[in-house]
Amino acid sequence: MVLPMKNSKKWYIIPYYLWIALFVIAPLALIVYYSFFNIEGNLSLENYEKFFTSVYLFMTLNSFWYALLITLISLLIAYPTAYILTKTRHKQLWLLLIILPSWINLLLKAYAFIGIFGTYGVTNKTLEFLGIGKQQILFTDFSFLFVSVYIFIPFMILPIFNSLEKLNPSLVYASQDLGASSWTTFRKIIFPLTIDGVKSGCQAVFIPSLSLFMITRLIAGNRVITLGTAIEEHFLITQDWGMGSTIAVFLIIIMIIIMVLTGNRKRGV
Amino acid sequence: MKKLSKWSVFYLCLVFVVLYAPIFYLIFYSFNSGGTMHNFEDFTLDWYKELFHDSRLLIIVLNTIIIALLSAAISTIIGVLGAISISMMRKKSMRDSVLSLNNILIVSPDVIIGASFLIFFTILGIKLGFFSVLISHIAFSIPIVVIMVLPKLEEMSPTLVDAALDLGASGKEVLTKVIIPYISPGILAGFFMALTYSLDDFAVTFFVTGNGFTTLSVEIYSLARRGISLNINALSSLLFLLTLILVIGYYFITKRANKQMGVK
Amino acid sequence: MKSLVRGLIAIIVLSIILLVVVNQLNSSRGYSSGNTLTVYNWGDYIDPDLITKFEEETGIKIIYETFDSNEAMMTKIEQGGTNYDIAVPSEYTIDKMLDEDLLLPVDHSKIPNLKYIDSRYMDLSFDPGNNYSIPYFWGTVGIIYNPKMLDGKKITTWDDLWDKDLKNQIILIDGAREIMGMSLNSLNYSLNDKDHVHLKEAKEKLDKLTPNVKAIVGDEIRMLMATEEAAIGVAWSGTAQEIMWENEDVEYVVPEEGSNLWFDNIVIPKTAKNVEGAHKFINFMLDPKNAAQNTEYVGYSTPNKEAMKYLPEEITSDKRFYLDEEMTSKLEVYENLGKRSLAEYNDLFLEFKMHRK
């Protein structure tokens, strides 16, 4: 897309690139700089050596795995939701109503979940009533994934909804006219045409999931350890900004790799 | 418009029930005379009454709202302009690098962002308070705006722009009459996500605030060690109700206005 | 485009209106005047009525800010940007702050009420002579347990936790020094031990505890213990006091092998502007009647001997929270182990957390 913008009109892009320089590149440089200092403040590579030990490598795989699960589950739940939303009458209203809960403070919601999933909480009372009996819900992978997906769902629904909205319905009708089943229509028409929204949603969910740490403690009781847990600890408790920065560097590298692999290619029409 | 199948309605209802379950839990216990979130004793409005005497809390709430609105608005504007400039890039390598830079703040844990911004502000000698918080919120909201707006720009057919140019539109008119209306769902999505980021943020705000200025999130997290008393539940319930009324009210007003103007 | 612009204008107008309202509220509370005192404290750690009382007595307006962790607070103070006149760190942080030269000396001559503080809580290793900090609240680290859930079993030592029958019954607090310290104490080592061999031993003993540990959590331990999510918890005495207030079945014990004695003390950061006012504030909080009122509100143990006379008998005679000499002699205050050792504690603790998977 090219616009006949004279060079003098390029002023409008200044704010964005100024932001990148001041608030992205500068802190990034700071982080990289700190990663080369050990805990005593001397120049050293020991942080990087430490990262390649089994503890941190396992943590990285762990973070990766859970972030992937959270993203996939969010996608599976969000896509049908977005699709059904596009067919309702007051879609913008429902959309806003979906976003609304995310404006309530996270800690409060986590406390509510502790109450809901607790051994004597609402869920277990219902399970008892149904005859299934009490289950240990808190401090499990299940509750962790549940609450994480809960937090990230609006971020997945919105871009997919936007993509679905712009989908030309006549394409769907044409496909059905030509005899394709619903599943084939979805697979070959709907999904590919909304892939940009899906990618956007995945990025908005996967990337922050890698550094989750509050939920790992509140809901998972530290049964799940992510890179975020370690960073939080190094920055705040040990005050080893060096090691914390090193982990952050690796997080950023992982993010870049993912961005490049799933990057958008320019398409025609 | 095709009618929704029973299963679709059921699924949607299920999603809403799950989404609102913790919210109703919080609201429910805001009426608890027992003081905790797990033992309901008697119904009481005491927590709500307490709110009206707490002017410090009221100031904090207002500050939080102001920061959220302004930071979301400004970051949306900057983010949209940024997304437009990214979509105009022709070299893939350029795009990828700018996009990667864009996403760095999203992948970085809040602690790091907060700490590095703090260092940044102290080096520049900027006093901590309203402006440092506002700037920080704008800074971490811009990336999500870009992520929400970019797909709409990608989807837009370039022939739209060409057609407009052919018909004699100036660059500015193409921007305001063709591009922006097309991507406005993305712009709104970005705005609301930025609002969410701002309202929920604790770590970054904590590090860059000072001189008596604080937001609701920081206040709530600080209470965790001693126990969050139910007046916070009451506060959240009221805010929630207020937002709900605003959202529904705004929606039906604009619907009415559009109907009268003959827009579907 | 038009509606977007209209929306933008609406937002700006609304923000301006709210800003005006905030300004009004602020000035009605007297913040435009110059005589202020900026206090940086834990959330909900002071009786709000005392703040009002102080303001009325001295005419100084208090600007109150809160934090949720020592380290975050220290980082804020270190970086500058805000002039805090009063802060309330925990003892190990005071040690670190002194190392970094972040505190102003406290002039004892300006705080006559200092004489009311129990001498047991003065002149400790983290601040000899109390030249820089004044005790505010104190407590211990111990075991909180619900005998009802354990069929009346009694817990008296750290070692009791390793009992095979306690599968999945324990919740630990997320603190490296507290948990490593618990393991060290159970091996009869000091919780300030720096010896690598001892630390490794302690960590390996913790690994054996894993089957009994249900979760490692933060402040929410209070809610979890009160709702009987677990029978046993390892946390601070302050937390125990709060849980017991909600659930009467719960017991607290300071284990026989020894444990940690913690303090939250008042300090004056170097960047303070109103040093006079800060001293007035400290003296005010040390007044026995004020200290008693504060203790009743906060619920933790007060170091103010005179204040105890104004507290109900049932609180001051509670040996679990107001220990006698014999018990306090067995307790240790955290010493500053230096960055290396501290990092080792945290790394071992992190490994323990991951071992649990």
Side-chain angles (χ1 to χ4, degrees):
Chain A
M1 180 178 69
V2 190
L3 288 178
M5 293 288 195
K6 297 199 279 271
N7 270 332
S8 61
K9 290 237 167 85
K10 286 270 172 87
W11 65 266
Y12 72 92
I13 62 171
I14 292 181
Y16 182 70
Y17 289 98
L18 188 66
W19 165 77
I20 286 195
L22 285 177
F23 292 99
V24 178
I25 297 188
L28 181 62
L30 204 65
I31 293 175
V32 174
Y33 175 72
Y34 271 118
S35 70
F36 291 111
F37 286 85
N38 66 12
I39 197 166
E40 271 121 15
N42 303 322
L43 210 56
S44 137
L45 280 178
E46 64 179 80
N47 291 331
Y48 284 88
E49 283 168 11
K50 222 163 140 192
F51 189 82
F52 285 103
T53 57
S54 53
V55 178
Y56 286 99
L57 288 178
F58 180 74
M59 215 186 297
T60 312
L61 283 168
N62 222 17
S63 302
F64 207 86
W65 172 241
Y66 280 103
L68 197 64
L69 279 179
I70 295 172
T71 312
L72 284 173
I73 299 176
S74 305
L75 182 59
L76 280 172
I77 299 183
Y79 205 105
T81 314
Y83 187 77
I84 299 174
L85 277 177
T86 57
K87 300 254 190 292
T88 62
R89 244 192 344 144
H90 301 287
K91 41 186 120 157
Q92 268 85 20
L93 181 64
W94 297 125
L95 206 58
L96 275 172
L97 287 180
I98 287 196
I99 302 175
L100 204 53
S102 57
W103 292 343
I104 306 283
N105 186 278
L106 180 59
L107 192 63
L108 289 178
K109 289 188 287 199
Y111 277 14
F113 272 115
I114 293 181
I116 294 175
F117 285 148
T119 311
Y120 299 98
V122 181
T123 325
N124 269 319
K125 287 221 170 79
T126 320
L127 287 178
E128 270 188 315
F129 180 69
L130 292 175
I132 303 179
K134 284 212 242 297
Q135 301 288 330
Q136 176 67 44
I137 309 179
L138 271 183
F139 312 130
T140 59
D141 277 355
F142 170 76
S143 53
F144 173 68
L145 290 171
F146 189 95
V147 179
S148 304
V149 169
Y150 177 91
I151 299 172
F152 284 113
I153 266 250
F155 292 84
M156 184 67 90
I157 294 182
L158 263 184
I160 297 181
F161 176 85
N162 280 339
S163 279
L164 282 169
E165 272 287 87
K166 280 297 190 227
L167 187 62
N168 192 340
S170 49
L171 286 169
V172 179
Y173 295 144
S175 149
Q176 288 171 334
D177 277 344
L178 289 169
S181 70
S182 302
W183 174 245
T184 320
T185 311
F186 173 76
R187 208 160 52 92
K188 299 234 150 147
I189 310 278
I190 302 181
F191 191 75
L193 286 176
T194 54
I195 198 92
D196 279 331
V198 170
K199 279 201 187 138
S200 197
C202 287
Q203 279 173 12
V205 174
F206 185 84
I207 296 176
S209 301
L210 287 172
S211 51
L212 272 178
F213 79 90
M214 184 131 296
I215 300 297
T216 54
R217 204 187 66 189
L218 282 167
I219 304 290
N222 273 309
R223 278 185 173 272
V224 177
I225 306 274
T226 63
L227 289 173
T229 317
I231 295 182
E232 164 83 354
E233 194 188 277
H234 284 298
F235 259 85
L236 286 186
I237 304 182
T238 342
Q239 299 204 293
D240 184 358
W241 288 28
M243 192 63 209
S245 302
T246 311
I247 306 178
V249 167
F250 281 103
L251 264 180
I252 294 175
I253 294 177
I254 296 176
M255 182 271 293
I256 294 179
I257 295 177
I258 294 180
M259 294 280 321
V260 172
L261 287 178
T262 62
N264 289 326
R265 263 146 270 275
K266 266 280 185 203
R267 272 200 320 260
V269 189
Chain B
M1 193 153 302
K2 277 210 300 218
K3 236 189 91 131
L4 282 175
S5 74
K6 267 194 304 192
W7 284 115
S8 302
V9 175
F10 176 71
Y11 182 81
L12 208 56
C13 284
L14 192 62
V15 170
F16 270 98
V17 163
V18 171
L19 272 178
Y20 280 81
I23 313 292
F24 286 137
Y25 190 90
L26 288 172
I27 299 180
F28 178 69
Y29 277 102
S30 69
F31 297 110
N32 183 14
S33 68
T36 66
M37 282 212 262
H38 44 82
N39 233 345
F40 199 89
E41 287 178 18
D42 278 318
F43 185 91
T44 176
L45 283 176
D46 283 347
W47 302 110
Y48 287 89
K49 287 195 214 138
E50 219 186 275
L51 278 180
F52 291 107
H53 295 299
D54 198 340
S55 58
R56 177 168 175 264
L57 204 52
L58 185 60
I59 294 179
I60 293 176
V61 172
L62 290 178
N63 281 333
T64 312
I65 297 177
I66 297 173
I67 293 276
L69 286 176
L70 285 179
S71 69
I74 298 176
S75 60
T76 306
I77 296 175
I78 301 182
V80 168
L81 295 175
I84 293 179
S85 96
I86 293 179
S87 69
M88 291 208 291
M89 285 181 187
R90 275 179 274 194
K91 279 205 282 192
K92 183 168 187 296
S93 55
M94 257 296 257
R95 276 174 54 98
D96 279 346
S97 17
V98 177
L99 271 177
S100 297
L101 281 175
N102 182 66
N103 293 347
I104 284 184
L105 286 186
I106 304 188
V107 76
S108 307
D110 288 346
V111 194
I112 299 190
I113 300 179
S116 54
F117 280 12
L118 178 60
I119 297 177
F120 185 63
F121 287 132
T122 41
I123 291 180
L124 288 184
I126 297 180
K127 209 165 135 182
L128 300 181
F130 177 77
F131 279 107
S132 58
V133 175
L134 184 62
I135 295 175
S136 308
H137 280 226
I138 294 174
F140 66 61
S141 297
I142 291 180
I144 197 70
V145 173
V146 171
I147 291 188
M148 292 284 140
V149 172
L150 210 50
K152 296 252 71 158
L153 281 169
E154 304 289 297
E155 276 168 12
M156 195 173 76
S157 164
T159 53
L160 271 171
V161 177
D162 292 337
L165 290 170
D166 276 345
L167 290 166
S170 69
K172 180 163 175 283
E173 281 176 329
V174 173
L175 189 66
T176 58
K177 298 224 163 116
V178 182
I179 300 180
I180 294 200
Y182 188 91
I183 61 174
S184 52
I187 299 181
L188 284 175
F191 175 76
F192 284 112
M193 289 296 100
L195 258 183
T196 309
Y197 267 32
S198 170
L199 285 171
D200 225 11
D201 178 69
F202 159 70
V204 179
T205 314
F206 174 81
F207 276 107
V208 303
T209 193
N211 292 307
F213 185 86
T214 189
T215 61
L216 192 57
S217 239
V218 174
E219 190 67 12
I220 293 180
Y221 277 88
S222 306
L223 288 171
R225 187 177 102 147
R226 291 269 306 145
I228 298 181
S229 62
L230 294 179
N231 63 342
I232 300 288
N233 284 46
L235 179 64
S236 299
S237 308
L238 281 181
L239 285 174
F240 175 74
L241 210 61
L242 185 68
T243 324
L244 192 64
I245 294 176
L246 281 175
V247 163
I248 296 181
Y250 172 76
Y251 180 76
F252 281 109
I253 292 178
T254 44
K255 262 281 164 148
R256 275 267 209 80
N258 282 341
K259 249 210 195 132
Q260 285 167 347
M261 290 199 304
V263 181
K264 191 165 168 308
Chain C
M1 175 81 182
K2 266 227 172 77
S3 57
L4 283 177
V5 175
R6 252 188 262 138
L8 183 64
I9 296 179
I11 290 178
I12 297 181
V13 168
L14 181 62
S15 306
I16 296 181
I17 296 177
L18 290 178
L19 270 169
V20 169
V21 174
V22 169
N23 246 336
Q24 282 292 86
L25 283 170
N26 264 330
S27 40
S28 77
R29 300 182 71 205
Y31 283 153
S32 16
S33 65
N35 199 6
T36 60
L37 188 74
T38 312
V39 174
Y40 206 20
N41 199 357
W42 300 85
D44 202 28
Y45 211 31
I46 192 174
D47 186 345
D49 290 336
L50 282 175
I51 296 187
T52 324
K53 191 171 171 205
F54 177 80
E55 289 176 334
E56 280 166 11
E57 270 181 29
T58 60
I60 303 176
K61 274 283 174 268
I62 290 194
I63 299 178
Y64 198 74
E65 269 188 51
T66 55
F67 58 85
D68 75 324
S69 92
N70 280 304
E71 292 76 12
M73 175 264 292
M74 182 169 161
T75 309
K76 284 293 291 285
I77 292 186
E78 237 180 322
Q79 282 299 316
T82 304
N83 298 88
Y84 295 108
D85 298 306
I86 293 273
V88 188
S90 301
E91 85 288 351
Y92 71 95
T93 309
I94 296 178
D95 212 330
K96 282 199 269 185
M97 288 171 99
L98 283 172
D99 257 0
E100 309 277 329
D101 196 29
L102 292 172
L103 303 176
L104 282 179
V106 178
D107 187 351
H108 290 197
S109 67
K110 296 212 174 101
I111 327 178
N113 287 337
L114 194 56
K115 59 181 185 263
Y116 296 125
I117 301 284
D118 191 326
S119 54
R120 270 190 293 170
Y121 308 126
M122 298 278 290
D123 200 24
L124 294 163
S125 59
F126 60 90
D127 180 21
N130 283 91
N131 290 319
Y132 293 90
S133 67
I134 306 294
Y136 185 62
F137 280 113
W138 66 276
T140 53
V141 170
I143 304 178
I144 308 166
Y145 67 102
N146 193 329
K148 215 179 56 173
M149 291 172 75
L150 294 170
D151 293 321
K153 196 204 275 264
K154 240 185 157 261
I155 309 245
T156 51
T157 66
W158 288 120
D159 236 4
D160 282 340
L161 295 177
W162 271 260
D163 189 334
K164 292 262 164 31
D165 291 330
L166 294 173
K167 274 238 161 22
N168 220 23
Q169 302 260 43
I170 307 180
I171 298 186
L172 298 175
I173 200 89
D174 189 2
R177 295 208 66 175
E178 285 79 7
I179 304 304
M180 286 291 288
M182 152 179 109
S183 191
L184 284 166
N185 274 146
S186 74
L187 291 166
N188 280 315
Y189 295 141
S190 152
L191 45 74
N192 288 315
D193 205 323
K194 289 205 227 184
D195 186 307
H196 299 297
V197 176
H198 293 174
L199 291 179
K200 236 172 179 231
E201 247 189 274
K203 191 258 173 188
E204 268 153 33
K205 183 159 185 197
L206 279 177
D207 283 344
K208 297 210 192 87
L209 187 63
T210 310
N212 290 2
V213 179
K214 192 176 208 186
I216 303 180
V217 296
D219 300 306
E220 54 278 12
I221 193 173
R222 212 183 32 257
M223 196 177 170
L224 296 168
M225 291 298 296
T227 53
E228 297 178 359
E229 275 298 320
I232 305 176
V234 174
W236 300 281
S237 54
T239 314
Q241 283 161 313
E242 285 162 2
I243 298 174
M244 289 157 99
W245 184 73
E246 282 181 35
N247 185 338
E248 285 168 357
D249 296 325
V250 172
E251 265 289 335
Y252 178 71
V253 63
V254 180
E256 289 169 3
E257 299 106 319
S259 183
N260 166 247
L261 187 65
W262 61 262
F263 286 91
D264 284 334
N265 284 19
I266 309 180
V267 299
I268 306 181
K270 234 205 179 112
T271 49
K273 281 231 179 96
N274 191 348
V275 182
E276 269 298 313
H279 282 95
K280 283 208 185 112
F281 182 79
I282 298 179
N283 201 41
F284 174 82
M285 293 310 298
L286 257 47
D287 174 280
K289 291 224 184 74
N290 293 336
Q293 185 180 340
N294 207 19
T295 307
E296 285 207 76
Y297 178 85
V298 171
Y300 288 16
S301 304
T302 179
N304 194 319
K305 225 181 0 206
E306 194 67 22
M308 284 170 64
K309 299 201 183 125
Y310 297 99
L311 291 168
E313 175 83 36
E314 53 176 2
I315 292 185
T316 52
S317 60
D318 192 338
K319 282 268 188 265
R320 299 169 301 184
F321 301 112
Y322 283 93
L323 312 170
D324 55 30
E325 294 274 348
E326 191 215 324
M327 295 171 81
T328 45
S329 62
K330 275 196 286 182
L331 303 174
E332 296 174 271
V333 173
Y334 285 140
E335 281 168 16
N336 186 359
L337 303 172
K339 285 194 163 175
R340 272 282 163 203
S341 287
L342 193 55
E344 196 177 347
Y345 269 74
N346 275 290
D347 284 340
L348 288 171
F349 186 53
L350 190 61
E351 276 178 55
F352 163 61
K353 280 197 236 182
M354 302 205 63
H355 180 264
R356 299 176 53 245
K357 243 243 148 230

